[in-house]
Amino acid sequence: MASNYVDLSCAEFTAQLAAKQSVPGGGGAAALAGALAAALGAMTANFTTGKKAYAQYEEDIVRMIGELEELRESMLGYVDADAAGFAAFMDAWRMDKEDPARQDALDAATKGSAATPFAIAKDAVRTIEVLEELAGKGSKMLLSDTACGASLARAALQTASINVYANTRGVDAEWARSMEAECEQMVAEFLPRADKVFNTICDGTGR
């Protein structure tokens, strides 16, 4: 099992993902999708900055480049964080079932495992917000890349959310309800917003 999945090649990472092993899994895949979404947005913004046709948006474009780069880097960090969270959960799971500390360790590890996909979901939401703005201010030559970014950010949000829900079962009910409610709110609001970015751009291509 690799210690730093983000350092693997695309071929190596997908081979690890396909292998009969627990990590990387859906959380790591969600994080990678989110990083790709932010990267596509950053590319669009980088091609826009400095162009006379978009001079009125220059300040906004520069800001978006910074935001998208931060999102790309944080999403990449979640690839390995998700694997580490699952490893901690498995350590707790393997504890002696007669050990009175086992349940507390499992609860803590489960909450830790939910924390990373929840963070991925929040970053995916922020990525969608930036891509919404970029769709109206970025280079029209790269609108298809912005649309692809929105689609990948949508996937990151939806995939991260199911990983949150998988970790809220059988744990502290109040904590679970709070995290699930916030996640459900993000999904309900931002999946349609990502779809709108994609569909608006797609309709503009004449398809």
Side-chain angles (χ1 to χ4, degrees), residues 38-128:
L40 282 167
M43 180 180 73
T44 300
N46 276 312
F47 268 106
T48 306
T49 186
K51 296 291 178 64
K52 290 183 180 179
Y54 303 95
Q56 61 181 317
Y57 304 127
E58 180 66 15
E59 187 175 331
D60 292 333
I61 294 297
V62 170
R63 169 180 50 78
M64 283 187 270
I65 291 172
E67 291 176 353
L68 289 164
E69 276 299 303
E70 286 181 8
L71 288 162
R72 182 182 67 81
E73 290 176 7
S74 65
M75 285 287 200
L76 285 177
Y78 296 141
V79 174
D80 288 310
D82 185 73
F86 185 80
F89 173 81
M90 289 308 298
D91 286 343
W93 181 262
R94 294 187 186 105
M95 290 174 66
D96 187 335
K97 291 184 179 180
E98 301 303 317
D99 188 334
R102 183 175 184 268
Q103 189 57 53
D104 286 343
L106 271 173
D107 287 349
T110 300
K111 290 179 180 181
S113 292
T116 297
F118 186 73
I120 294 168
K122 294 191 80 168
D123 272 10
V125 160
R126 183 61 192 136
T127 302
I128 292 167

Side-chain angles (χ1 to χ4, degrees), residues 1-5 8 16 21-24 83-84 86-87:
M1 186 173 69
S3 57
N4 287 311
Y5 291 103
L8 298 177
Q16 293 273 354
Q21 58 190 37
S22 299
V23 291
F86 185 80

Side-chain angles (χ1 to χ4, degrees), residues 27-42:
L32 180 58
L36 292 172
L40 282 167

